[in-house]
Amino acid sequence: PFFLIRWGEWREESEIVLRVDRSRRKPEVWQGKLAKYQKDSGILEAGHWYQMHLSGGDCQRKQMYFTTFEDCVLEGIDFSQAGLWGTRFLRCQLRGCNFTGADLRQAEFADCQWEENQFLSADLEQAVFSEEGFPLEAFEESQLKVLFVSSS
C-alpha cells in the first residue's frame, strides 16, 4: 500500500508531509537515495522505509524531516547534525547509530531496541521515547529535561 499527503495551495506548489509505502525495497534503494541527495536535497524528506536492514550510510547534515523508519534494523548509520525533525522510528533496532548534534525535535522512538547509539548534543525537545528499553545512559541530563517517555 502506498499513499501520501501534501500540504500547500491548490494548483500551486505543495509539500509532501506524510508518505506511507509499505512495499519491500532493496537496500540499494536507500544507498541510491543517499547518493542522489547532492542533486535533490528534498529526496529524503517524508520518506518511508519499511522492514529493511539499512547498514552504514552517511546521513550527516542531511535533511530528513518527517521520515518514517518502520520495523527496520538501522546499523552504523551516521545521522550526526541531520535534520530529523518529526521523524518516526517505529519498532526499529538501532545499533551503533550516531545522532550527535542531530535535530530530533518531536521525533518518535516507539518500541525500539537500542545498542550503543550516541545522542551527544542532539536536540531532543519534545521527542517521545517508549519506556520499555529506554536507554537512559545514552542521554545528557539537559536532554532528559526536554524529552518525553511514554509508558504505553
Side-chain angles (χ1 to χ4, degrees):
F2 174 83
F3 70 87
L4 56 89
I5 297 174
R6 293 182 174 271
W7 178 262
E9 298 289 329
W10 184 66
R11 292 190 175 189
E12 296 292 330
E13 191 170 322
S14 64
E15 294 182 40
I16 297 171
V17 293
L18 176 68
R19 177 178 305 165
V20 174
D21 182 359
R22 288 196 169 132
S23 59
R24 301 255 176 152
R25 293 183 275 176
K26 296 181 180 179
E28 293 80 24
V29 174
W30 166 253
Q31 295 297 338
K33 294 265 187 184
L34 293 177
K36 291 179 183 175
Y37 183 84
Q38 296 299 350
K39 294 178 184 171
D40 180 4
S41 63
I43 198 165
L44 296 171
E45 292 179 19
H48 192 268
W49 302 95
Y50 179 67
Q51 292 185 343
M52 295 185 70
H53 186 128
L54 304 174
S55 183
D58 181 8
C59 296
Q60 208 174 17
R61 295 184 184 86
K62 290 181 172 47
Q63 302 307 311
M64 301 176 68
Y65 301 119
F66 303 111
T67 297
T68 299
F69 296 95
E70 183 177 2
D71 297 318
C72 289
V73 175
L74 306 175
E75 193 168 20
I77 298 175
D78 186 1
F79 291 109
S80 60
Q81 298 179 344
L84 296 164
W85 189 72
T87 294
R88 302 172 70 210
F89 298 85
L90 309 175
R91 298 170 306 280
C92 291
Q93 296 177 38
L94 294 107
R95 302 178 190 150
C97 293
N98 182 7
F99 294 95
T100 300
D103 181 355
L104 288 160
R105 290 175 290 161
Q106 298 181 359
E108 177 184 9
F109 293 86
D111 302 317
C112 292
Q113 297 175 16
W114 306 90
E115 190 178 318
E116 299 182 24
N117 301 289
Q118 298 176 19
F119 289 89
L120 185 67
S121 300
D123 187 347
L124 295 167
E125 186 175 343
Q126 297 183 354
V128 180
F129 293 80
S130 293
E131 182 177 33
E132 189 174 331
F134 177 68
L136 181 65
E137 68 283 350
F139 301 101
E140 302 164 26
E141 186 176 333
S142 60
Q143 292 172 317
L144 293 172
K145 292 178 182 178
V146 298
L147 61 80
F148 299 107
V149 179
S150 171
S151 61
S152 57

